[in-house]
Amino acid sequence: MTICSSRHGSQDSESDSNLYLQRNESARAIGQKPSATVISLKKPIGDDFSLTGEHYDPHSQRDVLHPTSNCDTMIHLLKGNIGTGILAMPDAFKNAGLTVGTLATVVIGIICVHTMHMLVNCSHELCRRTQVPSLSFAEVAETSFKVGPPRLRKFSSFARIIINVFLCVTQLGFCCVYFVFVATNLQVVVKDHMGPDWSVQTYMAILLLPMIILNWIRNLKYLAPFSMIANACMAVGLGIIFYYIFENLPPINSKRVVVGFSSWKQLPLYFGTAIYAFEGIGMILPLENSMKTPQDFRGWTGVLNTGMVIVGCLYTAVGFFGYVKYGSFIKGSITLNLPQADM
């Protein structure tokens, strides 16, 4: 009885794994075109695509209406990864210590980039197996379950739903922080230079309409100019911050700076801030799927690595030198430490 059951299970597994070949052989026998949508459960070995039909390149099959160039993608990548979290990096370094904060930021950056590459590679592999040109983040999770172990395939729809829910929750949280940050800073500038003393809620209401209009733009090609303007403003802001940081910069061995390790009690606060800062994995697949030359996205000198190296260097520099400058007096956002009279 056990032997029969084992053989039967083996036959079912072999039948599932060769589903594509059986259907295509039947199609060829009656003169029909082989199917191009059946999911293969086996990974092709080397350049052998016999288990997934003809050689299928998802990149060449994409028909993007307004594809983005490498430069456009780089602009979006920088804009999507450099947010308000960079202003909190000096406070994160205070909670970790100068040495531990620097090393941990590099390690976290490497892990984040690695997971981004894993996501893109999985998407490309699943596109090749299912022979579709592109997949979204949630579709990657759903398809992974569909071609995975038989016991897990029934959870494929749940995987897609849970990924979409988590993406919505995280993006909603990030955007709420941005909304409050922009409104608060506008309130300070307008109050000091123009007179009106409006509440933060008033500025948030004023920002609501332009935010809604920007969200109506669904094409990344059309959003590139806005991202470029945002990057230019961000560069000016970071330049001003670095100007005040390097003005009379104290020595690293100052008494108010913890050079080595701060404490285990404060370390979770560092990780919370640092992981919040590296927030851009949700936009990786939309960027890659919209590119004119998506093969340039990966690779050692690809758009992803180049952009994330810039992001990692900026995070580390702001965190390191911001903490050296203000030491234990650093606040949640380094902008709060800047001279208010000069604003």
Side-chain angles (χ1 to χ4, degrees), residues 325-342:
K325 171 68 175 182
Y326 297 108
S328 58
F329 298 102
I330 189 69
K331 297 181 181 179
S333 174
I334 192 174
T335 54
L336 300 175
N337 290 95
L338 301 181
Q340 300 298 315
D342 296 344

Side-chain angles (χ1 to χ4, degrees), residues 101-119:
T102 302
L103 295 177
T105 302
V106 174
V107 172
I108 291 175
I110 292 173
I111 293 174
C112 286
V113 175
H114 176 65
T115 56
M116 291 174 181
H117 277 287
M118 287 180 61
L119 179 61

Side-chain angles (χ1 to χ4, degrees), residues 16 21 58 72 82 88 91 116 118 121 125 150 176 180-181 233 251 255 278 301 314 340:
D16 287 342
L21 291 177
D72 293 337
I82 303 176
D91 183 60
M116 291 174 181
M118 287 180 61
N121 291 338
E125 175 63 27
C176 287
V180 174
F181 176 81
C233 294
K255 292 183 179 180
F278 288 95
T301 58
L314 285 174
Q340 300 298 315

